[in-house]
Amino acid sequence: MDRQKIRSDFPILEDLIYLDSASTSLTPEPVLDAVLDYYHDYRANVGRGIYRTAQIADQRYRDAHRKVANFIDARVGATIFTRNTTESINMVAMGIGWKKGDKVVTTIMEHHSNLLPWMSLNKVGVELKTIMANKEGMIDLADWEKAIDDRTRLVSVSQLSNVLGMVQPVKEIAEICRERGAMLLVDGAQSVPHMPISVSEIGCDFLCFSGHKMLGPTGTGVLWVKKPEEIEPLLAGGGMVEGVGDHGYDIKQGYEGFEAGTPDISGGIGLGAAVDYLRDIGVEEIHRHESKLTRRLLMGLQAIEGVDIIGPQDTKGRGAVVSFNVTGLMPQEVALMLDSASNISVRSGHHCCIPLMKYLGLKYGTVRASMYLYNTKDEIDKLLSTVEQISRMG
Ligand SMILES: Cc1ncc(COP(=O)(O)O)c(C=O)c1O
């Protein structure tokens, strides 16, 4: 992997150290080109027209769905384009015909987007069970076994925590779900962009992720559904029906039945180009590179007096998301200092995980550095040296 060549596709990196890819990634030139080509050369609606540009648009938009489905090794089901992970999870929460007394199982580590949609089902009598983790984000499989019972309709878990960086054993959780007759939703917002994912191997029922966290345009996300008939489409309208009768309609098979109205066509095509870009480099290769940077960052932070790492202290079973705090300083102060002293962009605060922050006793949250394929060890060293200077002020 030629890092300099990759970096030349992200001109914004010339005067910025971007360590906030868990929030949203940067966009490489080939993705921008794909978006612009649509507008310049063949802008038309999809699934409607028969003229030449409409057919090209249709073909490219379909290709994008196919590329994304291949990327997650989806051999069955529908790969639906949404705006983001949040919309994908809400489509499942609102699309299932819940019964009073149904149970949803999730964990204390979830992002609000994988918590609030389940909390809101309280009004239709759905019970929410939250499994606790240890301070490093580990959950015993026995706890999953205990929590998932025959009333459990759905289990929803983030594969990689956006705060602690810990990876959950989703394949084993899927097995427990199968035994108990529950469905499994995997929130792949932080995993799909960074590690090879196969929905066929995991054996889940739903996978939700964000295109904008994996080099795609903002406003793009994905919901993969193993059995589309398990959920009702969130929206009804143009483009999603086979036929309309006097009192009802038949929805189209596949993703089209779930994408009523004109979709984000350029965004979808851009996401297809993002997947091409990631595949050309290789997701395993990206994961290896990120693990090296994560190890360097963890070791460096451990050596700085007054710095506390929140989450696992080594790279085993974790992704390229590292949360930490500096004694005597608020996370927001540290983030501002990193920006003003060294042009380093990191996230600070509760990371949309207020229940986890309360559980960990972190009133102001953490500083979070998150890495991607375009980051370098020199950037990590710059982060470390700046944190060291800042820690002397704490
Ligand atoms: C684990 C996890 N789930 C869900 C989301 C929500 O993603 P989006 O804002 O793209 O909907 C995020 C965003 O950071 C996340 O980290």
Side-chain angles (χ1 to χ4, degrees), residues 22-23 83-87 89 111 113-114 158 160-162 187 189-190 210 212-213 220 347 368:
S23 185
R83 284 187 305 138
N84 44 44
T85 304
T86 307
E87 186 170 285
I89 296 174
H111 188 280
S113 294
N114 192 26
S158 164
L160 200 165
S161 159
N162 63 312
D187 172 352
Q190 298 299 343
S210 299
H212 71 91
K213 292 185 197 288
T220 62
R347 176 94 182 260
R368 183 188 73 186

Side-chain angles (χ1 to χ4, degrees), residues 30-31 34-35 37 42 56 59-75 79-81 192 197 209 214 222 224 255 266-280 283:
V31 172
V35 171
D37 286 351
Y42 60 96
I56 300 173
Q59 190 57 52
R60 300 276 163 90
Y61 190 66
R62 264 178 208 292
D63 282 350
H65 280 78
R66 189 183 37 76
K67 288 175 191 178
V68 174
N70 285 341
F71 189 68
I72 54 168
D73 192 24
R75 296 168 212 161
T79 305
I80 303 156
F81 285 179
V192 174
I197 300 295
F209 53 104
M214 50 190 280
V222 180
W224 172 78
Y255 72 83
S266 66
I269 291 169
L271 177 55
V275 163
D276 284 341
Y277 192 94
L278 291 170
R279 285 205 104 145
D280 282 351
V283 188

Side-chain angles (χ1 to χ4, degrees), residues 54-122:
Q55 293 218 17
I56 300 173
D58 214 27
Q59 190 57 52
R60 300 276 163 90
Y61 190 66
R62 264 178 208 292
D63 282 350
H65 280 78
R66 189 183 37 76
K67 288 175 191 178
V68 174
N70 285 341
F71 189 68
I72 54 168
D73 192 24
R75 296 168 212 161
V76 294
T79 305
I80 303 156
F81 285 179
T82 61
R83 284 187 305 138
N84 44 44
T85 304
T86 307
E87 186 170 285
S88 304
I89 296 174
N90 274 277
M91 276 173 83
V92 178
M94 293 180 196
I96 292 178
W98 300 100
K99 294 186 308 298
K100 196 168 183 292
D102 280 346
K103 191 170 143 188
V104 171
V105 174
T106 189
T107 82
I108 186 70
M109 282 175 292
E110 303 309 316
H111 188 280
H112 295 164
S113 294
N114 192 26
L115 185 64
L116 276 49
W118 313 121
M119 279 183 168
S120 74
L121 294 175
N122 184 22

